Each structure stands twice: as structure tokens, then as C-alpha cells.
Amino acid sequence: GDADHETALATGRPKTGPELLRYRDALADDPNRPRFHPTPPANWLNDPNGLIHHDGTYHLFYQYNPGGPYHHTVHWGHAVSDDLVHWRDRPVAMTPDPSGPDRDGCWSGCAVAVDGDVYALYTGGRDGWQRPCLARATDDDLTAFEQVDDNPVIDAPPPALDLLSTPGEPAHFRDHCLVREDGRWHHLIGAGLQDYGGVVVSYTGTDLTEWTYAGPTLVADEAEPGVVWECPELLRYPDGDLLHVSDYSHVRYFIGEFDADESRFVPDSRGTLDPGAFYAPQSLTTPDGREVMIGWLREERSVSSQWEAGWAGAMSLPREVAVIDGDIRQRPVREVERLRRERLHEGTLTLDDAARRLPVEGTALECRLRVDPTDATEVGLVLRASPDGPESTSVRIRPDRVVVDRTESSVDPAAHADDVAVDVADLSRPFDIRTFLDGSVLELFVNDRRALSTRIYPTRADATGVGLYAGPGGATIDLDIWRLG
Ligand code: FRU
């Protein structure tokens, strides 16, 4: 209710730098807490927001509830980096305005620089309403954003569309992507159509406050009633344009052409960016012209486990995303090599058809395998294994798919225990597979093309072992392992 809400905003929720660091320190012993994937200092994190390289610094804002490890009255948390892989906490950058259209939350949005000033365009939540709002950074370090006076900058969703809403509730209409072309902004917003499914709508404008509705930019191919497309983003490449949306479960991408005159996207192909826990990503352009994407890695355990842990949510590694020859490429940014500490294994191993434990331990590791599974032989990498069971996670490498088998990852019944698989049938072999383990985060990349991120929650302190196995006929594996820090 209103009184609770006012109290929540007024009580001392951790928002300043020193407070955030105290909270972060208090959680330092949690072995499932990632070390090099950005996490909230404590409490709740969801989508990345306002990714931007500004004045020599990378800025990552994110959906943050300073009040607890659950989604409520989100603020914009803030972290900065010089190299995309070492992040530092900054004070909370945007706080809901108790009398504004964002009083129930500063939801997801993007950031752009205009004549040296940085602006955030985001969704203000109030009493269930979702309205586009604008805020301006108070300094070059983007320490805080101040809401403009004439919010919301769009005061109602397009009346021409019958947008999805729960009976008696305002329509779903949220999340923002700005693309500038020929002096004009294209402003993409996510929504759903009543009784149909996902849609991306567009507005155009020349400043950031006056917007003209330009029509639906992309509509789902098939009916999927109840689905809202969240967090649309349009990335333009010399070889083709990429539009992605988050459909409540995964990130769906479309490769094709954005017709700027008509504000329409015409897709040629489509797919899922990552079959795992990766959601609501955003991208920035580096000074050397790479499009780098970061996504929210959702928790895959129960709400009560999140309360016990005191934190929820992590960011993915930054991945470079490109469209080449009509196909999508995803690989970790080269800067992740700066996280490498000692090399724990190097060289070629010949395995017979047995499992082998390696003399390597760790919860923050990069394992790089070059391996050619044959139709008869599966090859596997085992991580976070406790010495005599019962916990271990197997990355099962087969000719057509790479599967993360989580059936024994954790004895905690609240941890998700299903398999997550990525299709690699069309990739050339031998496969070059890079896996990044970081506490409860496991991300893997195959041939710099396919990505899979997932979450595991071992309970045993000694679940730090690493192993390999091969099926009948054995296998030869090139393996490098680094401890990451
Ligand atoms: C996606 C999302 C967005 C929304 C934000 C609220 O995870 O639901 O659509 O703006 O999170 O935190």
C-alpha cells in the first residue's frame, strides 16, 4: 500500500558507495557468489540498463532493488569499468521520484549522449501504468540522473493498437532502444498485442521529448497469446541488422533489414540467442567499434534460497555480437583474458573411456577445450565436483549438441536440475569450447558462435573439483585451464 511504499523510500536502504561496499563485504564468503561477473552489492538485480562508453569509462546501470533480494520498486544501480571486466560499484544512480510517474520503479531503459550530455530514456512505473520517461545525468561521471519536468515524455501507449493488458489493468508498454539515423531518433518500445503476442512499436523524433508514433516495427510470426516482448534492441551491422526481444523465457533474435523510412523490420531469419539463463540484454559500442552485449543471468533456484543468500541476479560476461554472412556470432570480449591468473593445465590429453579427475580445483576457472567428439563418443568436462559425489556438473559434448547436465549439480531441491543444451550440429569441428565458471555461473561459447549460460548451486564446500571423461573409443583433448580472478 501507499504507506508501505513511502516507508520503503524513506528508510535507509543501502544506496551510497560505502553502504554498498559494506553489504558486498558481508556476502564475500558465499562460494556461489560470482567474483568477476557483476552482481548486486546485496539484494536484487535484474536487467542491464543504459550501457554506454562515456568519457573513457564503461558504465553499466542495472535494475536494482536496494530493499531486499526480490523484485520491487527498482532503482538504477551503477557499476563502472575501464576494461569491461573489472567493475567498481558506484552509488545508486536513479531513484524513483515519489511524486513522479516512476514512483513505483525506474524500469529498464537505455542511455545516449547528446552534445556531451547523457540522457536515460526508461519506463516509469506507477500504479501499474508504464510510461516512457527521460532523465539527465548530473555530471560527466554519470553519478546521478535527474528526471526531467515534463515526464512522462509519451503519455499513453499508441491508441491504434490493442495492447495486451490484464483486465482492468493498464497495458504492457515498456523498455527502450534509441537508434539515430540522419538526424532522427528511432525509439523502439516493447509490448504485446491483446489475444496475439509480442510486438515492437516505434516512435520517431528529433529531440528526446517529442515523439511521433510510427507504427509496429515487428510483430510475432505466430500467435502466442499472453506474451509481451520486453527489452527490444536494434543493432545495425554492414552485413545485416539484428533485432532482439526478450519473450519472458529467452532472448529471441531476428536478422534482416530495418527500413528506417517505414520504421519496419523485415526479418530473413530468426533464432534464440542463448538457451540458458541469459535475459534482457543490452549492448554498447566500444571505441574500436565492437558491439558488446551484457545480459542478466537469472537465478535458477527458489525465492526462499534467494532470501537466504541475501542477493539475486548476476550479469553475463560481456560478449561481442556480430552478424556475418547472415549468421550470428557471439564470443566473449578479448578483455576477459585479463582475468587469467595462473595456468592450471596446458596441453593434450589422451583419454580412454573412463572418467579422470584432474589435479585442478577451483570455482573461478576458464577451461578451453579443443575436441572432436565422434558419433560414437561423447566427451565431457566435469566442474564443481565434490570428491565422492554427490555433487557435480557435466558439460557433455556431442557432435550435434553441447549439454549442461545439472541433474547432480546440487543436492538442494530448490536448485534447477534440468539439462540445458545448445545446438552445434552446423558448426565445423573440432569444436573450440570455452567455459567460464564463476561460483554459481557457468557460461560457455562454442567456436566463437554459440553461447549458453546457466546457473548451478552446489552446497558442498569441497565441490571444487574438475574432471574429464570420454565414451567408448576414448578421445584426445587439448585443454587449457586458467584460474580467473
Ligand atoms: C525485464 C523487465 C522489463 C522491465 C524491467 C522491470 O526483465 O520485466 O520489461 O522494464 O524488467 O524491472
Side-chain angles (χ1 to χ4, degrees):
D2 270 8
D4 286 348
H5 186 270
E6 298 307 336
T7 321
L9 287 184
T11 50
R13 300 300 168 89
K15 289 187 207 163
T16 67
E19 283 167 350
L20 296 174
L21 287 178
R22 249 190 296 121
Y23 274 75
R24 186 175 288 290
D25 283 350
L27 296 174
D29 292 338
D30 179 348
N32 286 332
R33 196 135 142 97
R35 308 281 135 177
F36 55 90
H37 286 79
T39 51
N43 302 321
W44 172 269
L45 166 155
N46 62 296
D47 313 353
N49 293 147
L51 283 193
I52 192 167
H53 183 261
H54 180 70
D55 236 6
T57 300
Y58 292 106
H59 294 265
L60 163 66
F61 302 93
Y62 55 88
Q63 293 285 283
Y64 177 55
N65 176 16
Y70 57 98
H71 187 268
H72 191 69
T73 317
V74 277
H75 296 47
W76 276 30
H78 187 194
V80 294
S81 174
D82 300 326
D83 64 1
L84 289 168
V85 291
H86 296 89
W87 295 93
R88 301 184 298 278
D89 290 311
R90 299 285 296 133
V92 166
M94 188 156 36
T95 299
D97 171 359
S99 60
D102 60 357
R103 65 163 239 172
D104 294 335
C106 302
W107 289 12
S108 284
C110 59
V112 289
V114 180
D115 300 330
D117 282 323
V118 172
Y119 294 85
L121 193 58
Y122 66 101
T123 300
R126 178 171 189 146
D127 303 329
W129 296 97
Q130 299 168 17
R131 292 289 182 272
C133 290
L134 186 67
R136 180 179 165 177
T138 55
D139 63 17
D140 283 347
D141 295 332
L142 318 188
T143 307
F145 281 88
E146 267 174 11
Q147 288 88 339
V148 303
D149 289 337
D150 43 0
N151 274 334
V153 292
I154 297 174
D155 61 13
L161 294 180
D162 185 13
L163 291 188
L164 177 70
S165 63
T166 327
E169 292 272 317
H172 293 277
F173 175 59
R174 59 176 176 270
D175 310 333
H176 310 265
C177 167
L178 289 176
V179 174
R180 197 173 169 84
E181 186 158 301
D182 298 332
R184 206 160 64 122
W185 291 106
H186 295 273
H187 175 184
L188 277 57
I189 299 180
L193 295 173
Q194 194 72 269
D195 304 323
Y196 187 74
V199 62
V200 176
V201 300
S202 281
Y203 291 75
T204 54
T206 50
D207 59 25
L208 295 172
T209 51
E210 299 286 326
W211 294 107
T212 307
Y213 178 56
T217 287
L218 184 67
V219 180
D221 305 316
E222 286 174 19
E224 43 182 11
V227 172
V228 172
W229 281 359
E230 305 184 293
C231 301
E233 187 178 54
L234 174 64
L235 300 171
R236 313 201 70 185
Y237 296 97
D239 257 21
D241 300 321
L242 177 78
L243 178 63
H244 68 78
V245 296
S246 291
D247 66 5
Y248 287 164
S249 6
H250 292 110
V251 184
R252 217 184 278 191
Y253 71 82
F254 301 85
I255 294 175
E257 197 181 331
F258 178 65
D259 177 341
D261 294 331
E262 299 289 326
S263 295
R264 295 281 186 285
F265 191 89
V266 184
D268 295 326
S269 62
R270 61 218 76 210
T272 301
L273 210 61
D274 183 318
F278 185 85
Y279 198 71
Q282 260 198 29
S283 309
L284 58 75
T285 310
T286 60
D288 62 0
R290 291 171 291 159
E291 295 295 341
V292 170
M293 185 182 281
I294 294 179
W296 166 34
L297 301 181
R298 297 179 295 202
E299 292 301 318
E300 297 189 304
R301 56 175 161 178
S302 68
V303 169
S304 61
S305 318
Q306 296 169 41
W307 275 89
E308 265 164 49
W311 64 280
M315 291 300 169
S316 71
L317 283 176
R319 47 176 88 162
E320 195 181 329
V321 175
V323 171
I324 296 173
D325 297 334
D327 192 14
I328 193 159
R329 307 284 169 109
Q330 303 185 70
R331 61 176 173 196
V333 293
R334 59 172 181 266
E335 287 87 343
V336 299
E337 291 178 19
R338 299 184 189 193
L339 296 168
R340 289 177 184 166
R341 300 294 180 260
E342 68 269 29
R343 197 194 288 249
L344 303 175
H345 191 276
E346 178 173 16
T348 304
L349 280 167
T350 305
L351 285 183
D352 53 20
D353 57 0
R356 183 191 300 185
R357 200 179 159 100
L358 298 173
V360 170
E361 303 273 327
T363 58
L365 301 171
E366 176 184 350
C367 304
R368 182 168 197 163
L369 293 87
R370 269 172 229 86
V371 60
D372 194 355
T374 64
D375 293 334
T377 312
E378 168 180 312
V379 181
L381 171 69
V382 182
L383 294 165
R384 294 220 60 184
S386 52
D388 308 303
E391 294 184 326
S392 69
T393 299
S394 299
V395 179
R396 304 190 185 283
I397 302 160
R398 300 174 183 153
D400 61 337
R401 55 208 336 231
V402 177
V403 181
V404 178
D405 177 344
R406 298 189 293 176
T407 49
E408 296 187 346
S409 294
S410 177
V411 297
D412 176 0
H416 290 203
D418 52 334
D419 289 352
V420 199
V422 64
D423 187 343
V424 294
D426 59 333
L427 299 186
S428 61
R429 290 192 256 153
F431 296 134
D432 180 356
I433 300 182
R434 291 173 75 186
T435 65
F436 296 87
L437 171 68
D438 189 12
S440 54
V441 168
L442 181 60
E443 278 186 277
L444 68 86
F445 296 86
V446 186
N447 290 12
D448 283 344
R449 287 195 178 222
R450 303 275 190 279
L452 183 164
S453 343
T454 189
R455 305 292 305 273
I456 52 173
Y457 304 94
T459 60
R460 300 241 326 221
D462 59 0
T464 56
V466 178
L468 290 170
Y469 70 85
T476 301
I477 304 176
D478 276 342
L479 176 67
D480 291 311
I481 304 180
W482 293 267
R483 194 175 65 74
L484 302 183

